[in-house]
């Protein structure tokens, strides 16, 4: 089922413009994440799609050929998974999943059939008769998904589905959630403020700021080809190397760098994984922090640009705080962003 938002906007009664007129099209079976900092309007967009919030006049929401703009939430046939899961703790897994189907007044044998189907799909068969209170966080998440999916919704909406979990479990369940959504083959939108989560789960990430979409694309597109300073820094923490552009070179505090051909009028950014500490690097700076992160060290270097430039250092012992180091950055690793690209 496609989902189309045309000029979807929302102004709350107190005058807060949570969403400026926004167009969004989601293909059948596509998994889209809404990513952005707190207050950027992602939950509002999700609630408009769900029918939990009325959009401003002029907004249109379509599920396939069906204009659902004025349809109440219970008639939209959507599935929702919330941060809290909102399961009934003392009921069994089976009863939790069957609950929504009973509300729909489906015949008992149809309910049994659908419950069995999602129990299998979500690998919950061994726990079918356990109460929710006796399940792990990961198992609860699967029950919440199974329950949302059992009524065969047209679209699945997920609001920060992993944020209540601790970090280790989150990483594991992220992959599991991505796998399950694809098994369902359902059109899904999920809200998150965690870029790793968005990138790992979604086919397409919609980056929002101040009530508007800044950029939408595959995780790779957003990472490699951000169109604005906001997207470059929010997705993958790009760092600005400021300086004077002189001919084809950028002259910074720490030396000079060869620029790509089309750099005029652009700001220059780089990501930490593209900054290499090497003896004959073109730029020099001083180490001001070294953080061990397991797979690599994150080395903060001052004196290259106005802000600290971080390098990921793998392997041999890292430099020490206070050391003078040289770094190199390949020209093709530089991200060029038009200086006027960001109002937000
Ligand atoms: P978070 O990640 O913190 O949940 P969000 O990106 O989901 O943030 P929204 O909840 O959509 O953001 O809120 C967008 C803006 O609308 C914020 O400025 C928020 O304060 C405001 N807002 C949300 N709900 C209401 C409301 N009922 N009345 C007035 N303003 C609201």
């Amino acid at each position: 089922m496609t989902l189309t938002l045309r000029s979807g906007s929302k102004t709350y009664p107190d005058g807060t413009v949570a969403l400026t007129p926004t167009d969004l099209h989601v293909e059948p079976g596509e998994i889209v994440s809404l990513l952005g900092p707190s207050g950027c309007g992602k939950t509002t967009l999700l609630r408009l799609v769900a029918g939990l919030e009325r959009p401003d006049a002029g907004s249109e929401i379509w599920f396939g050929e069906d204009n659902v703009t004025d349809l109440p939430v219970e008639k939209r046939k959507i599935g929702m998974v919330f941060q809290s899961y909102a399961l009934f703790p003392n009921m069994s897994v089976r009863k939790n999943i069957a609950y929504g189907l009973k509300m729909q007044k489906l015949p008992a044998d149809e309910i049994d059939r659908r419950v069995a189907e999602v129990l299998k799909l979500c690998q919950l068969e061994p726990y079918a008769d356990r109460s929710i209170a006796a399940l792990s966080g990961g198992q609860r998440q699967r029950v919440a998904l199974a329950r949302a999916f059992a009524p065969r919704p047209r679209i699945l909406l997920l609001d920060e589905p992993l944020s209540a979990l601790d970090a280790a479990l989150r990483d594991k369940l992220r992959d599991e959630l991505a796998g399950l959504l694809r098994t369902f083959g359902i059109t899904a939108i999920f809200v998150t403020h965690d870029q790793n989560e968005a990138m790992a789960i979604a086919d397409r990430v919609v980056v929002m700021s101040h009530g508007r979409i800044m950029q939408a694309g595959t995780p790779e597109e957003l990472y490699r080809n951000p169109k604005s300073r906001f997207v470059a820094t929010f997705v993958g923490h790009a760092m600005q190397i400021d300086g004077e552009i002189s001919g084809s070179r950028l002259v910074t505090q720490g030396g000079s760098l060869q620029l790509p051909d089309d750099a005029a009028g652009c700001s220059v950014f780089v990501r930490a994984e593209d900054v290499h500490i090497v003896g004959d690097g073109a730029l020099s700076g001083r180490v001001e922090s070294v953080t061990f992160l397991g797979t690599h060290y994150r080395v903060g270097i001052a004196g290259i640009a106005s802000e600290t430039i971080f390098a990921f250092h793998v392997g041999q012992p890292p430099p020490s705080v206070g050391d003078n180091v040289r770094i190199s950055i390949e020209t093709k690793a530089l991200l060029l962003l038009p200086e006027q690209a960001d109002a937000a």
Side-chain angles (χ1 to χ4, degrees):
M1 173 78 51
T2 56
L3 161 69
T4 309
L5 190 69
R6 287 196 199 125
S7 296
S9 64
K10 176 69 188 176
T11 308
Y12 285 107
D14 67 356
T16 305
V17 179
L19 192 68
T20 60
T22 296
D23 294 318
L24 178 67
H25 182 79
V26 183
E27 292 293 336
E30 193 182 19
I31 301 167
V32 164
S33 99
L34 305 177
L35 173 69
S38 184
C40 71
K42 43 196 194 302
T43 305
T44 299
L45 201 165
L46 195 82
R47 289 173 64 83
L48 291 181
V49 173
L52 293 168
E53 215 63 76
R54 266 201 77 76
D56 295 347
S59 308
E60 284 181 24
I61 303 165
W62 293 77
F63 291 177
E65 303 291 301
D66 196 2
N67 184 342
V68 301
T69 316
D70 297 317
L71 217 54
V73 54
E74 64 277 7
K75 298 233 168 92
R76 288 199 187 184
K77 296 204 189 113
I78 44 137
M80 288 205 77
V81 178
F82 298 99
Q83 189 182 111
S84 61
Y85 303 151
L87 297 167
F88 302 111
N90 300 317
M91 258 189 213
S92 70
V93 168
R94 190 187 298 282
K95 286 197 172 136
N96 263 279
I97 297 173
Y99 186 82
L101 303 174
K102 282 198 182 132
M103 292 290 110
Q104 287 188 349
K105 302 203 166 42
L106 291 179
D109 58 341
E110 174 70 11
I111 294 179
D112 288 348
R113 219 171 47 72
R114 288 213 203 167
V115 171
E117 180 188 283
V118 293
L119 282 172
K120 184 155 190 273
L121 213 53
C122 299
Q123 295 171 5
L124 285 165
E125 285 159 319
Y127 314 104
D129 298 307
R130 268 206 211 168
S131 80
I132 298 297
L135 295 181
S136 71
Q139 291 158 348
R140 284 178 203 198
Q141 187 208 29
R142 274 187 272 153
V143 179
L145 270 172
R147 187 183 57 175
F149 188 64
R152 310 228 169 109
R154 300 196 278 187
I155 290 173
L156 197 57
L157 304 174
L158 303 100
D159 191 0
E160 302 258 8
L162 301 174
S163 65
L165 305 165
D166 66 60
L169 190 58
R170 247 181 117 133
D171 283 357
K172 180 169 166 285
L173 292 189
R174 194 168 72 191
D175 299 342
E176 197 173 296
L177 177 60
L180 264 182
L181 289 176
R182 282 179 181 79
T183 312
F184 291 167
I186 193 172
T187 308
I189 302 197
F190 79 98
V191 160
T192 181
H193 60 264
D194 178 335
Q195 54 146 316
N196 293 329
E197 201 168 295
M199 305 262 238
I201 298 175
D203 298 316
R204 197 152 54 100
V205 178
V206 171
V207 184
M208 298 181 64
S209 171
H210 293 94
R212 65 191 179 105
I213 294 179
M214 300 298 292
Q215 193 174 345
T218 64
E220 288 85 354
E221 274 164 13
L222 287 177
Y223 197 80
R224 307 215 187 285
N225 196 12
K227 300 275 186 242
S228 61
R229 173 191 298 260
F230 177 80
V231 174
T233 52
F234 193 74
V235 179
H237 307 293
M239 306 164 289
Q240 184 172 8
I241 312 180
D242 52 347
E244 292 287 322
I245 294 186
S246 164
S248 67
R249 297 191 74 81
L250 175 71
V251 181
T252 80
Q253 296 174 28
S256 84
L257 276 179
Q258 178 65 41
L259 290 170
D261 290 340
D262 41 4
C266 289
S267 301
V268 181
F269 288 74
V270 71
R271 298 189 194 281
E273 65 266 33
D274 294 319
V275 179
H276 304 291
I277 301 174
V278 286
D280 58 354
L283 303 177
S284 65
R286 192 175 41 77
V287 174
E288 58 173 23
S289 65
V290 178
T291 311
F292 181 53
L293 294 172
T295 53
H296 61 274
Y297 294 89
R298 185 168 180 263
V299 181
I301 305 165
I304 290 170
S306 302
E307 63 174 310
T308 300
I309 296 295
F310 290 95
F312 289 160
H313 182 80
V314 185
Q316 301 93 31
S320 305
V321 172
D323 283 358
N324 288 315
V325 289
R326 303 196 72 85
I327 63 159
S328 83
I329 302 169
E330 282 190 58
T331 302
K332 67 176 192 311
L334 297 173
L335 301 169
L336 299 178
L337 299 173
E339 266 159 19
Q340 307 305 330
D342 259 323

